[in-house]
Amino acid sequence: MEYVGGENYRRLFAEDPLFWKAIKNTVIYAIFAVPIGMVCSLAIAMLLNQNVRGQRLFRTCFYLPSLVPSVASALVWQWVFNADNGILNSILQLVGINGPEWLQNEKWTPAAFVIMSLWGVGGARMVIFLAGLQGISDSYYEAARIDGASAWQSFRNVTVPLLSPVIFFNLILGIIGAFQIFTSAYVMTSGGPNHASLYYALYLFQNAFEYFKMGKASAMAWVLFTILLILTLIQFRASKRWVYYEGGDK
């Protein structure tokens, strides 16, 4: 080993276009996958919070996909996105749409990974949302109904404010998880086509264990830590404006 000071950081920022490509791909993925995933997780949690027959069975069925190993789920989705005989394009053909080459066309590959991210909407985030919903007293909804509030008004003015700490928690974990996407890209595309799925964690792995550039990979790890730290601090700062705690403090 040879001590090089900050040379690895200089090379990353000034001489490595793939570094910026990886950051761009990861940011775009996070912008779409995180909010869509949170909305879907909350919607499922609200449905599973209803007092219906077979409630436990439904909760189990929605949670089971999150237990599938990530490599196995990546292989399944690789078949789902198959351009010739994949199930997704077969369904699109039934309605007269010719499906694209999801994993071979760089324009569609990012969308494929966002769609795949929905596989886990019934997992931990859904359970956390469900726990938050069950912690909201029915007295709030009864008061809203007495005041003539509609279902949407109750959701907007009762559910969302009282659930805001849970939303905040899931938002932080969602962004951290999105910036660490690795297994699906490694198994399905190895960063292709044309680096369209070269996400940050995958590029870090390639530098460390394929190119054996441990110094560069270590620098990338510290950059990732710094990015996530800054984003988390920004969220904590912004949370004072929209996160409500029943104790009265924001």
Side-chain angles (χ1 to χ4, degrees):
M1 293 185 292
E2 179 184 354
Y3 179 74
V4 295
E7 182 65 15
N8 285 316
Y9 295 97
R10 188 194 66 80
R11 291 174 181 174
L12 279 176
F13 293 118
E15 299 179 2
D16 189 357
L18 290 182
F19 170 76
W20 296 106
K21 178 71 172 179
I23 289 182
K24 177 182 176 181
N25 290 343
T26 307
V27 169
I28 292 175
Y29 173 81
I31 288 175
F32 289 96
V34 173
I36 294 175
M38 289 188 61
V39 169
C40 292
S41 295
L42 177 57
I44 295 174
M46 293 185 67
L47 290 174
L48 297 180
N49 194 43
Q50 305 300 315
N51 188 17
V52 296
R53 189 175 182 180
Q55 183 186 74
R56 294 182 179 179
L57 176 62
F58 289 127
R59 290 177 180 178
T60 302
C61 291
F62 275 98
Y63 186 75
L64 280 177
S66 65
L67 300 179
V68 178
S70 54
V71 173
S73 62
L75 292 174
V76 171
W77 278 95
Q78 194 171 26
W79 170 71
V80 171
F81 288 124
N82 187 284
D84 298 323
N85 53 13
I87 186 174
L88 182 56
N89 280 1
S90 298
I91 294 175
L92 292 176
Q93 287 179 355
L94 295 178
V95 294
I97 300 176
N98 292 324
E101 295 181 334
W102 294 97
L103 301 179
Q104 292 77 36
N105 189 325
E106 60 181 291
K107 294 182 179 179
W108 288 98
T109 299
F113 280 93
V114 172
I115 294 173
M116 182 183 172
S117 69
L118 299 179
W119 177 256
V121 295
R125 281 183 302 186
M126 181 269 292
V127 173
I128 295 172
F129 274 130
L130 184 58
L133 289 170
Q134 292 180 343
I136 301 177
S137 174
D138 292 336
S139 60
Y140 293 108
Y141 296 105
E142 293 174 1
R145 284 194 295 268
I146 293 174
D147 289 340
S150 63
W152 168 251
Q153 289 173 329
S154 296
F155 172 77
R156 180 180 177 182
N157 299 307
V158 177
T159 304
V160 172
L162 294 178
L163 202 63
S164 58
V166 179
I167 296 174
F168 174 58
F169 178 76
N170 274 334
L171 178 62
I172 292 178
L173 293 187
I175 292 177
I176 293 174
F179 270 82
Q180 293 177 341
I181 176 176
F182 167 75
T183 305
S184 55
Y186 178 73
V187 173
M188 296 169 62
T189 60
S190 297
N194 195 23
H195 306 299
S197 61
L198 183 65
Y199 297 109
Y200 195 93
L202 175 59
Y203 189 46
L204 191 157
F205 172 86
Q206 289 177 344
N207 277 285
F209 302 107
E210 293 183 9
Y211 312 144
F212 299 104
K213 298 180 180 179
M214 292 295 179
K216 182 178 180 180
S218 178
M220 290 185 64
W222 278 107
V223 171
L224 177 61
F225 169 78
T226 304
I227 291 174
L228 293 178
L229 177 61
I230 292 173
L231 290 177
T232 302
L233 291 176
I234 291 174
Q235 291 176 76
F236 269 98
R237 182 84 176 185
S239 68
K240 297 179 181 180
R241 300 183 178 181
W242 64 274
V243 177
Y244 168 80
Y245 296 99
E246 288 192 69
D249 296 329
K250 289 187 176 181

